Amino acid sequence: MIYHAEELVRQWVYAGADALEAASHIIPLWKDSVIITQEIQSFSPETEKERQWREAVIQVNALLMTYADTVERVRNGVATNLKG
């Protein structure tokens, strides 16, 4: 399966859920999956919900990296192996 993590985090945040807690329950079920997410640290949101979402994505990305066997960053079409 392929998952887009930041969109799932957006759903959790807008539903009022604790995204990091939700992720900690679901990430172990994603074994043998490909997770696609974005680095959004430089993104400057205008609303409080968007700020919450940005912070949650950063936290969930960090959690994803602890579970991942392999982590790659792709910038401008160039992949850099970060883990694995």
Side-chain angles (χ1 to χ4, degrees):
M1 293 293 295
I2 298 175
Y3 298 95
H4 292 272
E6 74 277 357
E7 289 305 316
L8 188 53
V9 171
R10 182 185 304 277
Q11 292 173 13
W12 290 331
V13 167
Y14 277 81
D18 180 328
L20 192 56
E21 182 179 335
S24 69
H25 293 291
I26 200 168
I27 289 171
L29 303 176
W30 289 349
K31 189 171 177 58
D32 299 323
S33 296
V34 174
I35 313 299
I36 299 170
T37 189
Q38 298 178 14
E39 286 186 292
I40 57 170
Q41 296 171 346
S42 62
F43 175 66
S44 182
E46 295 181 14
T47 68
E48 180 59 29
K49 278 290 187 196
E50 287 296 301
R51 282 189 285 278
Q52 290 172 358
W53 170 72
R54 179 191 63 192
E55 294 305 313
V57 168
I58 292 168
Q59 292 173 346
V60 170
N61 282 349
L63 183 62
L64 282 166
M65 286 184 71
T66 65
Y67 280 90
D69 295 327
T70 304
V71 177
E72 296 208 8
R73 172 185 286 159
V74 179
R75 280 196 177 150
N76 301 324
V78 179
T80 303
N81 185 293
L82 301 178
K83 180 180 176 182

